[in-house]
Amino acid sequence: MVFSTKADLVANRPLSEKMLINSWKYRKYFEKSIAAMSKVGFKYVNIGTWFYLTKSDGDPIFDNEIEKTQVALDICKKYGMKPMINFNGQNNGYLNTETWCNFNQNQLEQIKQYFSKFVQTFSNQGIIWANLNEPDNVYWAPFNERHNPRVISSWVNFSKWFIDETFKFDKNPLNVPYSCITSVADEGSDITRQAIRQGLFRRALGGISHPYVYHNHNNGQPEIMLELHEGTVAGLPLLSNEYGYSRDTSSGDHNQGYFSMAEAAKYTARQTIIQDYLGFSIIGIYCDLGDSYSIENDDGSLNLVGKMTMDLVNELNGYTIQEKIEVDSHDNVYDDIYAFRYSKDNCVDKIVYWAPEKVGLRQLSVNNKIIKLNITDYPQVVDYDGVPNPKEYFLPIKSNTSLGTEVMY
């Protein structure tokens, strides 16, 4: 069975065909979660692959990763989910100035040998190879070295080696490297520029982004992506296999900041549409279960974050984004009123709309049609003829709160 082809990396297709969930195959409820995520409309799953060190200069331990991955792929096949695979590992946290990463030369050679075996085992199955996970984070070198040109060269060269290895054994390899934690262009553009200059994407079909929006960007509102995010890298479409909003403060400080369930729900749904508009070919949420970002409850149902996003996606089932309609003057990305037109063959067009700030009842001219809308700060859907959809897809709201509008749950 071939899971994916190059067609899966095309940006111009329905949003409902793009959605990915990030999961963790080591958890005992992995199959239960994949079954639940498939049922609510996810088409792809990112499967992390992990190795670790027993001591800083010791041999990498892979602990039957190939066998565990085969079990995970069989589950994906059972539930019709298409896998994306990336690689990660525990390390000693010290920069080796010979290899310019956390691993010494002997460890790197062993990692390469195992990765090569991994590629040979799973080639020609339509796996989307996402390469190293967050090489600009602590997984490849200490975080304070992430902008070091030698460190960047180190992981870029390793990633290029991995891509070349897939071409040895896979007839049609689907390579989408990068996976950096840069949320918007101004936070890591030097890393991106060097990766492009050194040829990271020369044999790739796209690039992975982790577009987490931080609290310092107007309380984490995702519209900042429209101002600072280009939507492509090296002329190739971007994909995401992680984005979302952390909601658990019990684990201490978190770089992104913490958000209420209502904030996370609104922002995640809005960011999903924004990524679609920017031309992301796959849109991947972090994550299903067991984390402060989770969108799933223990019983397999969706929490408010998952429900708001996937109800929106399913309301747009089969619809492809066409344009952003300008409906109001604005000075910045936060005081705009957002209206995106979606179309589907032989169906009435739909408009997805919201406003970060200008909420309330408004009469708008949309492509020379007057539409009266109750605009909220979470996305809603209306038919292009101006008649609201009869089914209530979203929870009721109350106004005049500190959030502008607040979802009642």
Side-chain angles (χ1 to χ4, degrees):
M1 175 182 176
V2 175
F3 287 104
S4 296
T5 68
K6 290 182 179 179
D8 290 271
L9 304 179
V10 172
N12 186 28
R13 59 193 182 119
L15 173 62
S16 54
E17 298 302 312
K18 295 183 177 185
M19 297 305 297
L20 174 147
I21 189 67
N22 196 305
S23 191
W24 195 237
K25 68 177 183 279
Y26 309 102
R27 297 181 180 130
K28 63 182 180 180
Y29 44 71
F30 176 75
E31 180 171 0
K32 178 181 177 181
S33 180
I34 293 302
M37 295 297 97
S38 174
K39 185 177 180 180
V40 299
F42 285 96
K43 307 299 183 187
Y44 302 87
V45 57
N46 186 87
I47 302 172
T49 299
W50 186 260
F51 63 88
Y52 60 95
L53 304 176
T54 55
K55 56 182 180 178
S56 61
D57 60 349
D59 295 339
I61 305 299
F62 298 99
D63 195 21
N64 299 314
E65 270 300 307
I66 288 178
E67 291 78 8
K68 292 176 181 177
T69 300
Q70 184 60 64
V71 171
L73 293 181
D74 289 341
I75 291 172
C76 290
K77 188 181 300 182
K78 179 178 179 180
Y79 296 101
M81 296 280 273
K82 300 180 180 184
M84 176 185 291
I85 295 178
N86 60 5
F87 298 89
N88 219 336
Q90 179 196 36
N91 54 69
N92 56 33
Y94 297 102
L95 181 64
N96 184 305
T97 54
E98 291 182 359
T99 61
W100 292 99
C101 67
N102 289 323
F103 309 105
N104 62 39
Q105 191 60 51
N106 178 58
Q107 291 169 333
L108 278 181
E109 288 303 317
Q110 291 187 64
I111 293 169
K112 282 186 174 182
Q113 289 176 19
Y114 197 84
F115 281 14
S116 179
K117 184 179 179 181
F118 199 98
V119 168
Q120 293 176 56
T121 302
F122 299 112
S123 285
N124 300 307
Q125 296 186 41
I127 304 294
I128 300 175
W129 299 109
N131 216 298
L132 296 174
N133 179 57
E134 295 189 350
D136 63 336
N137 204 339
V138 297
Y139 306 116
W140 187 259
F143 189 78
N144 62 355
E145 297 286 349
R146 66 190 294 257
H147 294 281
N148 186 325
R150 290 180 175 179
V151 169
I152 299 170
S153 292
S154 176
W155 65 258
V156 166
N157 288 333
F158 186 95
S159 298
K160 287 163 61 178
W161 167 84
F162 180 85
I163 292 171
D164 290 343
E165 202 71 4
T166 67
F167 274 89
K168 291 180 182 178
F169 305 105
D170 200 320
K171 294 178 181 177
N172 297 291
L174 305 174
N175 284 293
V176 289
Y178 190 59
S179 292
C180 285
I181 60 173
T182 302
S183 63
V184 289
D186 65 336
E187 294 179 354
S189 57
D190 62 317
I191 298 174
T192 307
R193 286 196 303 268
Q194 183 173 336
I196 293 172
R197 187 168 60 249
Q198 293 186 350
L200 174 60
F201 301 98
R202 75 198 194 289
R203 307 183 81 179
L205 297 174
I208 293 284
S209 173
H210 289 178
Y212 291 106
V213 181
Y214 285 53
H215 201 275
N216 62 325
H217 287 298
N218 206 34
N219 193 39
Q221 297 194 77
E223 287 73 22
I224 189 66
M225 288 186 67
L226 295 166
E227 183 175 301
L228 298 173
H229 211 296
E230 295 180 359
T232 61
V233 60
L236 298 171
L238 276 174
L239 308 78
S240 61
N241 60 2
E242 291 188 29
Y243 71 100
Y245 292 86
S246 179
R247 302 177 300 280
D248 183 6
T249 61
S250 63
S251 58
D253 291 337
H254 193 281
N255 289 334
Q256 189 186 10
Y258 296 103
F259 302 85
S260 70
M261 182 71 81
E263 288 174 317
K266 293 183 293 189
Y267 294 171
T268 302
R270 280 153 52 179
Q271 192 176 7
T272 300
I273 299 298
I274 289 169
Q275 288 182 65
D276 196 22
Y277 172 68
L278 287 171
F280 280 56
S281 57
I282 291 177
I283 299 172
I285 295 176
Y286 185 84
C287 61
D288 53 357
L289 269 171
D291 195 276
S292 64
Y293 288 83
S294 300
I295 68 165
E296 183 183 352
N297 297 313
D298 290 342
D299 63 0
S301 64
L302 294 175
N303 63 24
L304 183 64
V305 178
K307 178 176 174 54
M308 184 173 287
T309 298
M310 293 313 294
D311 279 359
L312 175 64
V313 170
N314 290 323
E315 165 69 350
L316 296 170
N317 183 42
Y319 279 77
T320 301
I321 196 165
Q322 300 299 323
E323 62 176 331
K324 178 181 182 292
I325 302 171
E326 296 297 331
V327 298
D328 196 30
S329 61
H330 56 279
D331 296 322
N332 55 59
V333 294
Y334 303 116
D335 73 349
D336 196 3
I337 294 176
Y338 289 91
F340 297 93
R341 183 172 65 87
Y342 278 76
S343 68
K344 179 180 179 180
D345 288 347
N346 302 314
C347 294
V348 175
D349 285 359
K350 294 181 183 290
I351 294 175
V352 181
Y353 64 96
W354 75 86
E357 297 175 352
K358 295 179 178 177
V359 299
L361 192 63
R362 287 178 176 269
Q363 186 168 285
L364 303 174
S365 175
V366 180
N367 284 0
N368 297 319
K369 288 187 177 181
I370 301 299
I371 301 179
K372 192 174 183 179
L373 299 174
N374 184 25
I375 298 173
T376 60
D377 54 1
Y378 63 85
Q380 297 191 80
V381 181
V382 65
D383 288 342
Y384 187 53
D385 59 11
V387 178
N389 293 302
K391 182 176 180 180
E392 184 177 357
Y393 283 88
F394 299 98
L395 300 173
I397 61 168
K398 55 185 178 182
S399 60
N400 300 321
T401 72
S402 61
L403 297 176
T405 60
E406 182 179 350
V407 178
M408 297 173 64
Y409 62 95

